[in-house]
Amino acid sequence: MKASPFLRILPPFLVGIALPGPAADFAWSAFGLLTMGAFLLLLLERLPVWSRLRLLEVPTVWILMLGCGMALSGLRNQALQSGGGYPTPETANGWLLEVESPPERTATGISFLARAWTQRQDGKWERAPGCLTYVTTGSGKSQLHIGDRLQIRKAPRALQGPSNPGGFDPRGYYVGKGVSLSTNLRESDYRKVGQCDLHQVSDRLMKLRESILDMIRTRIRHPEATGLAEALLIGYRVDLDQSVADIYTNTGVVHIIAISGMHIGMLYGILAWAFGQLPIPRRMEGMRILPPIAAVWVFTLLAGAGPSIVRSATQFTLIGIGKTLIGRRGDSINTLASSAFLLLAIRPEWLLDLGFQLSYAAVAGILLYHRRLCRLLPLENPVGCLLRDGIAMSLAAQTLTTPIILYRFGSFPTWFLFTNMVAVPLSTCILFTVLLMCLTAPWPGLSMPLGRLAEWGIRFMNGYVGRMDRMPGGHLEGIHLSASETALVFLAIAAASCWLIYGDNRWRTALAALVLLATALHALEWRKGSQQRAFVVWHLRDESLLLLVEGYNAYAYTKSGGGPPSPSMRKALRSAARAYRLRETPRPSRLPKGAVRIDWKGSILLVTGEDGTAAPGHGRADCVVLARSRGTDPGPWLRSVECSDWVADGSNSLWKIRRWQEAFAGLPLRFHSTSLSGAYVRTLR
């Protein structure tokens, strides 16, 4: 611990960032802790070295770091909320957007993040929060670039929360990026009015990225192989097939297609070795490290500057500076902790980012446990050592990432070890092949065979990972942890590690206490979840999904067409399993095309038929679901069914929903549209 000072101050700093609270109380608490910590630290520094009160220095520093974390988090939240006073669309004369992120392809066009300005009635322009912009294009292509300024005719609206329980939360995800508005545009809804010259570097990086993507697409022709090669080399995941991404996630090898330490380490190592061979005068020895560090950060920006790759770039920058400029080889754990401290001081919202959490947890696990696991099986055979090291690295990385995976997804890949043993070395070889293919692009006689070799390797790896995903018992589902349980599990892992390393029985006692506390908390959470009863009409575009939740089991019904569930349906069912902590992901049963009556737990649910009928037998109902209905006049339904709650799901067209909304407006009934208001959730007693 003495060799890792950042490791000692990082935990209270993390707690300070994570602590929630009202804005006013939060600010006063942070100010009080900072004042008290600074005062105590100044007081203790005046005491003689032999004074026992000097032992309070460590708790005082913890108080100071706790206050710093709270202050940074509070300042960040205040900065994000300070833009809330922009004019509403009714009081604004016009809107101006400036493309801030590279436009990415979507199913119907492109999307990008944009800075926004709005014009007041007095003609002055005022900065508004950032805007998530979707542009529908006929060809799926656009001539927009970073820095383009657009005058739009359609006023943005506030970003909404998740459409479904456990689903993606756009408002929560983008608020950390300073984005709280959204707009959907057609090409006729905007016109270019200029270009900002401050984005020239970003624009050149994006042109370089497009050049690299063109090299890959012209030499690797298979769509699945092309998408994975792009993700593997520069982290571009737009062309990555969703089914391929799902099997890599399910088998625990999704880190292969995420830009992380392997890419940065390879780039840094090659360049550091190359520049180390140059004859540079001794007084300019420190200049050797500048080109590798510059190349690392250029690649980081090229790959999107996500939390995991920024972590790697920061860590290698600190390593290079310490080794070359200062002449010291720093402690790995301290370097990792210092990089986390620096990044969170700049971007405290990254603490809640899944990529940031998994990246640091995996690297910390490898640094803490890899060598110790290798010592358990001493070998002299080189092949055996290589195999042992690979297994030990996978186990070490999984040690600290497993609690996060269980908290976020509620499932665990059983065969992750066997999948990693093949996929990790194979992906490394593929990465080198794709890189060499791009470097030899001017010579088609070399690059084309390399492209075919990379394509064969990717297709083989996809097939192997897919077979492991289909293995019986490949996933342990229904293992859901709450945030409190996850924190206790991490504390228990820390106590167990200290007990095994130092042999102090006090850590064994702490471990036993933490295990008992986590077990009791899990029992309370389990009892609470076993009493849940809910009826949910999911929002899926052009599809219908009904969910009946009872305890930790759920029954799913759909009126979608034949065949296996669509990717969006599978994603929704996985979200339902996470949101309600189900034992397993429900499998949907198909309802007939006609009207259906469901009697469940004393409630009557009616689902309309495609022919416009309300329900067989008519009568009273607690809820009527309008699913794939052809009728536009609700009159026949209202005359045949007595019900107060009417729900239109996403299988109906929007113009039809608008008509129903107008028809129900003057009636003492509740009308809910999942397309306009998100999922319909009815909690039952």
Side-chain angles (χ1 to χ4, degrees), residues 522-591:
H522 188 72
L524 291 175
E525 294 284 348
W526 182 268
R527 178 177 175 81
K528 180 181 177 182
S530 63
Q531 299 173 351
Q532 62 183 351
R533 305 283 189 278
F535 167 61
V536 186
V537 181
W538 227 257
H539 171 63
L540 289 175
R541 186 176 180 181
D542 300 326
E543 293 187 284
S544 179
L545 177 61
L546 285 70
L547 198 70
L548 307 179
V549 180
E550 181 184 5
Y552 291 102
N553 299 310
Y555 311 93
Y557 300 94
T558 179
K559 273 208 166 188
S560 301
S566 64
S568 58
M569 179 76 72
R570 293 196 299 267
K571 187 176 181 180
L573 293 171
R574 288 195 297 267
S575 299
R578 290 195 302 269
Y580 293 101
R581 307 181 69 176
L582 303 178
R583 288 192 179 95
E584 60 182 3
T585 303
R587 297 179 180 179
S589 301
R590 302 198 180 277
L591 297 174

Side-chain angles (χ1 to χ4, degrees), residues 170-230:
R171 183 171 55 199
Y173 177 79
Y174 285 106
V175 69
K177 303 176 183 291
V179 176
S180 58
L181 298 175
S182 175
T183 185
N184 292 274
L185 304 174
R186 295 187 296 269
E187 290 183 306
S188 59
D189 292 332
Y190 70 88
R191 67 183 182 92
K192 289 180 63 173
V193 294
Q195 170 81 24
C196 179
D197 297 331
L198 299 177
H199 298 279
Q200 291 183 1
V201 174
S202 299
D203 195 43
R204 289 180 181 177
L205 283 174
M206 292 308 105
K207 289 179 180 178
L208 174 61
R209 187 181 73 169
E210 288 300 322
S211 300
I212 295 173
L213 294 176
D214 288 339
M215 294 178 195
I216 296 174
R217 291 165 185 164
T218 54
R219 291 160 178 80
I220 301 177
R221 301 298 179 86
H222 193 274
E224 287 187 3
T226 301
L228 196 136
E230 293 170 353

Side-chain angles (χ1 to χ4, degrees), residues 405-419:
I405 292 172
L406 294 179
Y407 170 66
R408 293 280 188 155
F409 304 108
S411 63
F412 182 76
T414 311
W415 307 113
F416 78 93
L417 190 58
F418 300 98
T419 312

